């Protein structure tokens, strides 16, 4: 009797069919890896294109059409359209219903605001304020909106004999300070209307504006000239001048100004110092990514 020994499964030679299947599986796995690398490269390319589109749209405050956008980013219209459509669906861009022009969306503002937090703003503003105080001899201030008031988040002292002692973090009313009036002038008409409805214009000095109509007239002038003055309205012994600071979208994100005693800050001196303040504000706006400031103003 011939003895038969049952072969273990691992000892059996692979059949031609199974060998072929194994080779197919191995080849397919290699292709998957290659496809993953291709997809990664494609993803990086798509991200680059998407950010290029966002940057161009952000530079055009009046909006931009598909054809011009495609030309600026160097892409075919169909490619630009599909990428833009995705960003519109995510909210990072929006498309006007009538003109079909693209603009940046609100989530992008939120991201930018998170990046430009108070600490970063202070770091950018302080050296510019130091230069301004050195050139003007007066105290320099950078303030941002805080509810219905403004808060000074950076300040420097000048070389003059009399200097204000305001500390960083001090909150000031918007209606009777140059910094605050710049912030009010940046509000939309409906926002300004609601502000006047809920805020009592309490006087700080005899020169404080307490009449809403008078404040509106002054804000109209501030919007036109992009400069605000405080002639003893908050402190009877102090005069101030302030101008807006813009970010990369052209929005006002703060106000920059100087303050000094009325006996030193005469009308003539105030006007000459205003030019220094405007130059400093342009520098700070540029740090925040603002472009074409002359056109924006």
């Amino acid at each position: 009797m011939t003895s038969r020994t049952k072969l273990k499964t691992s000892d059996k030679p692979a059949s031609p069919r199974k060998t072929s299947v194994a080779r197919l599986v191995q080849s397919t796995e290699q292709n998957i890896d290659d496809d993953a690398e291709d997809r990664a490269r494609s993803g990086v390319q798509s991200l680059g294109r998407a950010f290029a589109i966002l940057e161009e749209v952000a530079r055009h405050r009046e909006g931009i059409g598909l054809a011009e956008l495609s030309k600026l980013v160097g892409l075919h219209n169909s490619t630009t359209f599909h990428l833009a459509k995705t960003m519109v669906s995510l909210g990072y861009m929006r498309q006007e219903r009538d003109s079909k022009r693209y603009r940046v969306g609100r989530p992008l503002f939120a991201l930018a605001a998170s990046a430009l937090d108070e600490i970063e703003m202070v770091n950018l503003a302080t050296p510019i304020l130091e230069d301004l105080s050195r050139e003007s001899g007066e105290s320099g201030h950078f303030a941002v909106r805080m509810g219905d008031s403004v808060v000074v988040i950076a300040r420097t002292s000048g070389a003059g004999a009399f200097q204000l002692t305001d500390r960083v973090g001090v909150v000031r009313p918007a209606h009777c300070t140059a910094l605050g009036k710049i912030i009010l002038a940046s509000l939309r008409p409906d926002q300004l209307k609601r502000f006047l409805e809920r805020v009592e214009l309490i006087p700080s000095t005899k020169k404080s504006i307490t009449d809403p109509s008078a404040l509106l007239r002054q804000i109209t002038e501030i919007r036109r000239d992009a400069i605000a003055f405080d002639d003893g309205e908050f402190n009877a012994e102090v005069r101030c001048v302030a101008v807006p600071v813009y970010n990369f979208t052209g929005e006002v994100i703060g106000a920059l100004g100087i303050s000094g005693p009325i006996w030193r800050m005469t009308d003539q001196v105030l006007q000459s110092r205003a030019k220094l303040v405007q130059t400093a504000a342009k520098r700070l706006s540029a740090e925040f990514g603002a472009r074409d400031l002359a056109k924006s103003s």
Side-chain angles (χ1 to χ4, degrees):
M1 179 179 290
T2 306
S3 174
R4 293 183 179 180
T5 304
K6 189 175 181 181
L7 292 175
K8 295 180 181 178
T9 303
S10 58
D11 296 333
K12 291 182 179 180
S15 66
R17 175 180 173 81
K18 290 185 177 179
T19 302
S20 299
V21 171
R23 288 175 180 171
L24 283 173
V25 171
Q26 183 178 9
S27 177
T28 302
E29 290 176 349
Q30 183 62 42
N31 288 338
I32 289 174
D33 291 338
D34 292 341
D35 289 344
E37 292 179 3
D38 290 341
R39 285 196 300 272
R41 284 192 293 268
S42 177
V44 171
Q45 185 182 50
S46 296
L47 279 174
R49 290 173 172 178
F51 279 112
I53 290 172
L54 274 176
E55 289 174 358
E56 285 299 335
V57 172
R59 292 187 186 111
H60 291 76
R61 293 179 59 200
E62 71 284 0
I64 184 172
L66 177 63
E68 183 182 2
L69 180 59
S70 299
K71 182 179 179 181
L72 290 173
V73 297
L75 296 174
H76 192 275
N77 279 5
S78 62
T79 304
T80 305
F81 172 76
H82 288 298
L83 288 171
K85 182 179 180 181
T86 299
M87 286 185 283
V88 169
S89 68
L90 294 172
Y92 289 100
M93 280 170 40
R94 57 189 176 91
Q95 189 177 29
E96 296 178 340
R97 183 174 301 178
D98 297 329
S99 67
K100 302 300 181 183
R101 298 173 76 85
Y102 293 103
R103 294 176 181 268
V104 292
R106 291 183 178 179
L108 195 61
F109 296 146
L111 288 176
S114 298
L116 290 175
D117 59 15
E118 282 79 359
I119 295 176
E120 182 64 17
M121 293 173 88
V122 170
N123 290 339
L124 293 173
T126 299
I128 293 175
L129 284 176
E130 289 174 345
D131 290 342
L132 176 60
S133 290
R134 185 165 50 252
E135 294 169 356
S136 66
E138 307 296 348
S139 300
H141 311 271
F142 177 60
V144 296
R145 181 184 178 188
M146 189 178 77
D148 292 327
S149 305
V150 293
V151 56
V152 176
I153 63 172
R155 70 170 301 278
T156 53
S157 298
F162 175 86
Q163 293 293 320
L164 298 181
T165 57
D166 279 351
R167 66 188 185 281
V168 170
V170 68
V171 179
R172 292 289 179 247
H175 69 283
C176 58
T177 59
L179 296 168
K181 286 186 279 188
I182 287 292
I183 300 298
L184 290 180
S186 71
L187 299 179
R188 297 192 312 269
D190 61 311
Q191 292 177 317
L192 184 58
K193 181 176 181 293
R194 289 196 296 270
F195 170 85
L196 292 174
E197 289 173 348
R198 66 175 176 265
V199 176
E200 182 182 359
L201 305 182
I202 300 174
S204 295
T205 71
K206 293 180 179 180
K207 289 188 175 182
S208 299
I209 299 176
T210 57
D211 177 35
S213 298
L215 181 60
L216 281 173
R217 287 193 296 270
Q218 191 169 122
I219 288 176
T220 299
E221 296 177 359
I222 294 170
R223 285 173 173 164
R224 182 192 65 205
D225 302 330
I227 190 168
F229 297 95
D230 164 10
D231 186 9
E233 297 169 42
F234 178 72
N235 183 326
E237 301 298 323
V238 176
R239 278 180 171 161
C240 312
V241 55
V243 299
V245 175
Y246 304 90
N247 65 7
F248 74 100
T249 68
E251 288 195 336
V252 175
I253 58 170
L256 184 147
I258 58 171
S259 302
I262 56 175
W263 52 266
R264 190 163 65 213
M265 294 278 277
T266 62
D267 289 340
Q268 184 177 1
V269 171
L270 200 63
Q271 293 297 330
S272 65
R273 296 291 187 270
K275 296 178 181 178
L276 296 175
V277 176
Q278 289 169 327
T279 300
K282 286 182 179 179
R283 283 181 56 197
L284 186 54
S285 296
E287 290 289 342
F288 292 141
R291 303 188 181 205
D292 301 326
L293 290 180
K295 183 178 179 181
S296 298
S297 298

